[in-house]
Amino acid sequence: QVQLEESGGGLVQAGGSLRLSCAASGRTFSTDHMGWFRQAPEKEREFVAAINWNGGSTYYADSVKGRFTISRDNAKNTGYLQMNSLKPEDTAVYYCATVYYTGRYNVDTEYKYWGQGTQVTVSS
């Protein structure tokens, strides 16, 4: 089993920044792919970013490309999502998720373990 816990969410003005963290415990985080997804009120969960097990490959949704950066520190069993130039449309609950391997990194059903989510609210 893997336990994931997100932190770092909050309220920020448009144009501001936040860094989300995803702390993993229970098994070897360093062998897993990690993704970030988000879900806004009355909308389906959507892909935000993903990173492979060693950080060598990263993937982003078009809506966040150039503004968000995904990274990981396997020595700390922690993943990160640096969010810059935030917009009101980025408001959502953000979830981290992991899976040993997937070739469809942007598909939420591919991921096996999920955190409880952290709220990000961007005011205009």
Side-chain angles (χ1 to χ4, degrees), residues 7-30:
S7 61
L11 173 64
V12 64
Q13 288 188 331
S17 299
L18 284 173
R19 187 174 84 155
L20 305 184
S21 297
C22 175
S25 61
R27 58 164 278 166
T28 305
F29 172 75
S30 61

Side-chain angles (χ1 to χ4, degrees), residues 13-14 41 47 49 59-60 65 67 70-72 81 83 85 92 108 124:
Q13 288 188 331
F47 169 73
Y59 313 92
Y60 297 93
K65 202 170 294 183
R67 300 187 298 122
I70 189 171
S71 62
R72 64 191 300 159
L81 184 68
M83 306 186 296
S85 302
D108 59 353
S124 57

Side-chain angles (χ1 to χ4, degrees), residues 83-94:
M83 306 186 296
N84 298 329
S85 302
L86 283 161
K87 305 175 181 180
E89 51 264 44
D90 294 318
T91 295
V93 177
Y94 283 70

Side-chain angles (χ1 to χ4, degrees), residues 3-118:
Q3 292 79 45
L4 302 174
E5 183 174 3
E6 303 94 338
S7 61
L11 173 64
V12 64
Q13 288 188 331
S17 299
L18 284 173
R19 187 174 84 155
L20 305 184
S21 297
C22 175
S25 61
R27 58 164 278 166
T28 305
F29 172 75
S30 61
T31 60
D32 289 352
H33 286 45
M34 184 187 74
W36 286 94
F37 292 80
R38 67 187 182 187
Q39 187 166 21
E42 301 182 357
K43 291 189 176 181
E44 292 188 354
R45 187 163 56 191
E46 65 173 0
F47 169 73
V48 176
I51 188 168
N52 76 329
W53 67 277
N54 66 358
S57 297
T58 57
Y59 313 92
Y60 297 93
D62 288 343
S63 59
V64 307
K65 202 170 294 183
R67 300 187 298 122
F68 291 11
T69 302
I70 189 171
S71 62
R72 64 191 300 159
D73 184 341
N74 287 342
K76 295 182 178 179
N77 284 346
T78 303
Y80 305 97
L81 184 68
Q82 177 67 44
M83 306 186 296
N84 298 329
S85 302
L86 283 161
K87 305 175 181 180
E89 51 264 44
D90 294 318
T91 295
V93 177
Y94 283 70
Y95 300 90
C96 67
T98 62
V99 63
Y100 177 68
Y101 175 78
T102 178
R104 301 192 298 169
Y105 53 85
N106 60 337
V107 177
D108 59 353
T109 54
E110 290 285 301
Y111 289 78
K112 185 172 183 179
Y113 301 104
W114 290 82
Q116 293 300 308
T118 185

